[in-house]
């Protein structure tokens, strides 16, 4: 016999399912758009075009896919890294510890891998979503905050608002087997039922089809409540399977899941939409041009196929047997008159059409950002690193715009991550910081992020977050190295400073060798004494 859940949980489930159905109906067109964009990205440009002739060619020139991969490569050269600075200079040591903790969290979560997936969602789907939370199993059970990507196919925001934080709710979706739910929530296993929507159709991408009999749809339901007395928000979370509440954050934290009172999601759009929190991607802007280019290629291929098989027209008055003419092994054919035998050749396409095909393809490349400089193939004769970097800088405006948007979203996520560490961390965690060029092993405790104000009041230490790129592109690195070599030749810096400021593999070994050999060189070639200069009579 199924054990009934409490009345409050039943009302919570009803409210969540009703709101989810409203969001799901509003997202029907959005999911079709996402499926269309993914198909265009992977080269399935003709999937929804009716087939009039089973033998007709359907060529695909992956211009948009190449464009997206080129911009992705540019963005991956700018993987963000957080720089934490304190509000007060006296808290510089604590800021370095917090920065080391944030870096450790991102290493544990393999953030560059998450960043690659976020870029794909941004360029193809038009927006990407990062979630900030706390994983108690991270760092060997000591816990730690995380920033991870949420598949845009599996998250629903309020369709009535343009700012996610103003929404009535946020839903995250996931498919799990019935056995998985029963193993993780044995107390609720007897109450698990089917969700009224078709889970298999909801989550499929046209490639994978989960078993609808065993699949269960999990709903992660986030909602905010406004407290008019304190003028603050409280955010809560409930996990549901069908109409059964598996978890309710209010049972543990009735004052709110997070102290900051915000949804733990950062939404980034590529090209904003009017009246929506979502965005458009590159395929939305250039997909039509791509299809016209493919259609023109189809016309050329059809003409080529027809031209490759010339037709022979034979009249009855010619006296030739068509089957006899079809036999190319014979040297002699007998007939009455050659006037009744004519070769019919397919006329070639006009030259202006071929020129137009090339022009439309180049237009797609130029307008979408897939020109030769962004692809790393600059004109012959350009060899200097600074010149190559300048050409690429001018040709990658779309990549720079997307980089700025991703870095700003990452900065917001890191600020939320720091507040999550402040609230949830309860164990000492070892981290390594750099002090005066030397590594130092310290322990992080959230108590470090508090300071005692006059009067004995505990106040949180505030931090500012800025972003720098983890690595630089090859041409940017060569440009930096060229500048350091020029400064060294001018005598503005010494060789150790030049090596320190250059970017190349094995720099630490070179610096170590210089520092070890420098005293010996000074003994062989002692520095010349400087002449005493007089200024105003004082030596």
């Amino acid at each position: 016999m199924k054990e009934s859940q409490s009345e409050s949980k039943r009302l919570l489930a009803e409210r969540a399912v009703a709101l989810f159905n409203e969001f799901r109906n509003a997202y029907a067109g959005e999911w079709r758009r996402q499926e269309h964009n993914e198909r265009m990205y992977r080269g399935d440009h003709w999937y929804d075009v009716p087939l009039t002739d089973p033998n007709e060619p359907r060529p695909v020139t992956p211009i948009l896919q190449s464009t997206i991969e080129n911009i992705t490569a540019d963005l991956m050269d700018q993987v963000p890294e957080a720089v934490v600075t304190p509000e007060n200079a006296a808290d510089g040591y604590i800021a370095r510890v917090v920065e080391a903790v944030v870096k450790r969290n991102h290493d544990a979560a393999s953030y560059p891998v998450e960043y690659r997936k976020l870029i794909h969602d941004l360029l193809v789907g038009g927006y990407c979503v990062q979630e900030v939370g706390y994983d108690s199993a991270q760092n060997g059970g000591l816990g730690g905050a995380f920033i991870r990507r949420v598949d845009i196919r599996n998250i629903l925001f309020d369709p009535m608002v343009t700012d996610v934080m103003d929404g009535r709710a946020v839903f995250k979706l996931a498919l799990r087997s019935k056995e998985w739910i029963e193993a993780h929530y044995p107390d609720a296993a007897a109450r698990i039922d089917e969700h009224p929507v078709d889970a298999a159709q909801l989550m499929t991408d046209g490639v994978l089809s989960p078993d609808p009999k065993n699949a269960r749809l999990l709903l992660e339901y986030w909602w905010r409540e406004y407290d008019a007395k304190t003028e603050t928000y409280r955010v809560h979370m409930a996990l549901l399977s069908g109409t059964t509440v598996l978890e309710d954050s209010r049972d543990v934290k009735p004052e709110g899941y997070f102290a900051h009172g915000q949804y733990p999601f950062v939404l980034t759009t590529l090209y904003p939409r009017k009246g929506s929190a979502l965005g458009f991607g590159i395929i939305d802007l250039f997909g039509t041009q791509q299809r016209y280019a493919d259609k023109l290629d189809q016309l050329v291929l059809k003409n080529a196929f027809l031209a490759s098989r010339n037709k022979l027209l034979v009249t009855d008055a010619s006296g030739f047997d068509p089957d006899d003419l079809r036999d190319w092994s014979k040297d002699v054919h007998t007939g009455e008159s050659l006037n009744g035998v004519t070769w019919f050749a397919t006329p070639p396409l006009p030259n202006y059409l071929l020129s137009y095909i090339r022009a439309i393809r180049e237009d797609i490349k130029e307008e979408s950002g897939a020109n030769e400089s962004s692809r790393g193939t600059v004109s012959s004769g350009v060899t200097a690193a600074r010149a190559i970097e300048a050409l690429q800088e001018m040709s990658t405006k779309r990549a720079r715009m997307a980089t700025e948007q991703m870095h700003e979203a990452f900065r917001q996520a890191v600020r939320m991550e720091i507040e999550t560490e402040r609230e949830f961390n309860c164990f000492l965690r070892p981290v390594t910081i750099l002090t005066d060029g030397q590594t130092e092993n310290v322990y992080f405790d959230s108590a470090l992020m508090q300071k005692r104000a006059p009067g004995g009041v505990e106040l949180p230490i505030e931090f500012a977050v800025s972003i720098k790129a983890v690595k630089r592109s090859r041409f940017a690195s060569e440009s930096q190295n060229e500048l350091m070599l020029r400064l060294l030749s001018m005598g503005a810096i010494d060789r150790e400073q030049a090596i320190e400021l250059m970017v190349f593999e094995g720099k630490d070994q070179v610096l170590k060798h210089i520092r070890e050999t420098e005293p010996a060189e000074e003994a062989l070639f002692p520095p010349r004494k400087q002449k005493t200069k007089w200024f105003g009579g004082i030596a």
Side-chain angles (χ1 to χ4, degrees), residues 190-366:
R191 299 193 303 272
I192 295 176
D193 54 5
E194 296 286 350
H195 199 275
V197 301
D198 188 345
Q201 291 297 323
L202 179 68
M203 304 297 292
T204 183
D205 63 353
V207 178
L208 300 176
S209 298
D211 181 9
K213 296 181 179 179
N214 192 38
R216 296 293 183 273
L217 180 65
L218 289 185
L219 288 182
E220 193 174 293
Y221 170 45
W222 294 85
W223 75 98
R224 296 174 82 200
E225 297 175 348
Y226 181 70
D227 189 342
K229 294 181 179 180
T230 60
E231 296 183 347
T232 58
Y233 283 94
R234 291 191 294 267
V235 63
H236 306 287
M237 187 275 292
L239 187 65
L240 299 91
S241 175
T243 56
T244 300
V245 178
L246 305 177
E247 293 183 20
D248 187 350
S249 65
R250 297 174 299 177
D251 296 338
V252 179
K253 300 190 69 176
E255 72 282 2
Y257 197 107
F258 293 105
H260 52 64
Q262 297 179 320
Y263 291 125
F265 303 103
V266 178
L267 174 67
T268 309
T269 59
L270 185 61
Y271 303 113
R273 302 186 207 175
K274 290 293 185 180
S276 173
L278 310 181
F280 291 117
I282 289 178
I283 292 177
D284 295 300
L285 271 64
F286 301 100
T288 302
Q289 292 92 319
Q290 172 75 72
R291 288 201 164 189
Y292 276 123
D294 292 338
K295 184 63 177 178
L296 290 173
D297 287 342
Q298 183 188 53
L299 296 177
V300 173
L301 284 179
K302 280 185 175 181
N303 184 264
F305 291 159
L306 293 174
S308 65
R309 296 185 60 185
N310 293 332
K311 294 182 179 181
L312 183 62
L313 305 180
V314 182
T315 65
D316 293 337
S318 68
F320 286 95
D321 182 7
D323 293 332
D324 186 62
L325 292 177
R326 192 180 293 115
D327 186 359
W328 292 92
S329 63
K330 290 186 176 182
D331 296 328
V332 178
H333 300 277
T334 304
E336 298 294 336
S337 173
L338 288 176
N339 293 330
V341 179
T342 305
W343 284 101
F344 175 77
T346 302
L349 293 173
N351 290 331
Y352 75 86
L353 181 59
L354 300 179
S355 300
Y356 181 72
I357 293 174
R358 287 191 294 269
I360 193 173
R361 186 172 291 124
E362 291 301 321
D363 286 344
I364 296 176
K365 291 180 181 179
E366 288 295 329

